[in-house]
Amino acid sequence: MSAVEISLLRAGLNHSDALGYVNVANYTLLVYDVCITLSTEIEFIWGSPWSSMKVVYLLTRYMVFVDAGLLYAPSTQTCFRVFTIMECTYVLGLAIGDLISTARAWAFWRTTRHITTMLSLFWIITWSVQLVLIGYNAGSLKFGVQNLVEISKLRGCVITAVDPTIASMTFAILLVYDGVMTLLILLAVYLDSLRYTKASGVVNVMIKDGVLYFICILGSSLANMIVILKLSVGLNGLTVPLTRAFHSILVCRAILHAREQAYRDVCDGALRISTITEA
């Protein structure tokens, strides 16, 4: 091993504590969110009939616990396999979550016949490109020799080289995709306002959650690109787990909020009918 590689490995070990703290914070955030929304999830998800949206929700909600953390491995060969699998599940989790974002945009444009085809093709093309980029990114990964320093066996895989351009492109594409979905929602709302169509409670909730989601994805994606392009290799994964966590939490909360508001609208409508009947 050359002096440069040894230096990169030592730098990676020095940064591994920061990465570990971020992973702990990431899992703490995920567990906390599950705890505070569990009653709502049981009522509106677990208690509902099985459907494609229910399956997508459960995958988005709980798949993140599998791929969000840095796994430990005893050799560079194992590290490569582990990170390749993790990157694939990471992108797959984001893709499944964005099915919900796409369905939300479709809900505002379902009266347009061609929108279903366009959105489907956009989703397929976007995430196919992401998988290709992940393949190239995995090929650019290099890991330090784990047995160089005894303590490195306790630190997991240490990345010593990666292509920053490819890694940052995955987040740029995520940002563009979610930006298009948000613009479609806002455009549909604007067109409805020109027709003097009053938005329902569910629509208002979907708009609010959609805008909040995009703002968070915008901030986290830009943070990831800055970290990848500007900081050292050892810190490349510093903000990646949090992006995945925010994506899972906000997408799932959007479904819970929409179903909760729909239930309230039904109850309010039934109450008004009952009041009129009794009068």
Side-chain angles (χ1 to χ4, degrees):
M1 174 176 283
S2 67
V4 174
E5 290 175 325
I6 293 175
S7 176
L8 289 172
L9 178 56
R10 293 189 184 279
L13 290 172
N14 291 333
H15 295 319
S16 63
D17 284 339
L19 296 176
Y21 297 147
V22 170
N23 280 328
V24 171
N26 180 53
Y27 278 106
T28 302
L29 177 64
L30 289 169
V31 171
Y32 173 75
D33 188 70
V34 168
C35 290
I36 64 176
T37 59
L38 185 59
S39 59
T40 306
E41 181 177 308
I42 291 173
E43 181 178 1
F44 294 106
I45 301 297
W46 290 101
S48 66
W50 282 98
S51 63
S52 57
M53 186 56 67
K54 181 174 181 177
V55 172
V56 170
Y57 173 92
L58 293 175
L59 287 174
T60 303
R61 184 59 151 171
Y62 295 105
M63 194 178 193
V64 65
F65 286 96
V66 177
D67 58 45
L70 179 64
L71 299 182
Y72 294 92
S75 67
T76 55
Q77 291 79 13
T78 306
C79 280
F80 178 79
R81 298 190 193 99
V82 166
F83 266 76
T84 301
I85 294 172
M86 285 178 61
E87 287 186 331
C88 289
T89 57
Y90 185 93
V91 170
L92 181 61
L94 292 176
I96 293 173
D98 269 349
L99 278 175
I100 298 175
S101 301
T102 306
R104 182 168 51 199
W106 174 86
F108 285 87
W109 289 88
R110 61 184 179 275
T111 54
T112 304
R113 176 173 296 181
H114 300 296
I115 196 68
T116 302
T117 303
M118 293 174 60
L119 288 176
S120 299
L121 287 175
F122 188 38
W123 184 87
I124 292 171
I125 293 172
T126 297
W127 293 104
S128 296
V129 171
Q130 290 282 53
L131 285 175
V132 172
L133 289 176
I134 285 299
Y136 280 111
N137 187 64
S140 71
L141 287 173
K142 291 183 179 179
F143 300 93
V145 178
Q146 295 288 345
N147 60 7
L148 177 68
V149 182
E150 184 64 23
I151 196 172
S152 68
K153 296 179 180 179
L154 304 176
R155 303 294 185 93
C157 301
V158 179
I159 298 176
T160 58
V162 67
D163 189 329
T165 302
I166 295 177
S168 61
M169 282 177 62
T170 59
F171 293 103
I173 292 174
L174 173 65
L175 182 57
V176 170
Y177 186 90
D178 289 324
V180 171
M181 294 301 108
T182 304
L183 286 175
L184 284 174
I185 292 174
L186 295 178
L187 179 58
V189 171
Y190 173 72
L191 293 176
D192 284 341
S193 68
L194 295 180
R195 304 186 192 103
Y196 303 100
T197 302
K198 184 179 180 181
S200 65
V202 174
V203 170
N204 288 328
V205 167
M206 291 174 68
I207 295 171
K208 181 186 70 175
D209 285 342
V211 172
L212 176 62
Y213 165 79
F214 177 69
I215 291 173
C216 291
I217 292 300
L218 172 63
S220 61
S221 295
L222 290 176
N224 275 306
M225 287 187 282
I226 292 172
V227 168
I228 291 171
L229 293 172
K230 297 299 182 181
L231 298 186
S232 63
V233 175
L235 290 173
N236 271 357
L238 186 64
T239 54
V240 171
L242 292 177
T243 299
R244 179 75 172 94
F246 286 140
H247 184 275
S248 172
I249 290 171
L250 293 173
V251 166
C252 291
R253 280 189 173 228
I255 293 182
L256 293 178
H257 292 164
R259 292 196 174 190
E260 189 174 21
Q261 185 61 47
Y263 177 77
R264 289 176 182 172
D265 290 346
V266 170
C267 291
D268 290 343
L271 179 60
R272 284 194 294 270
I273 293 174
S274 176
T275 303
I276 293 174
T277 303
E278 292 176 358

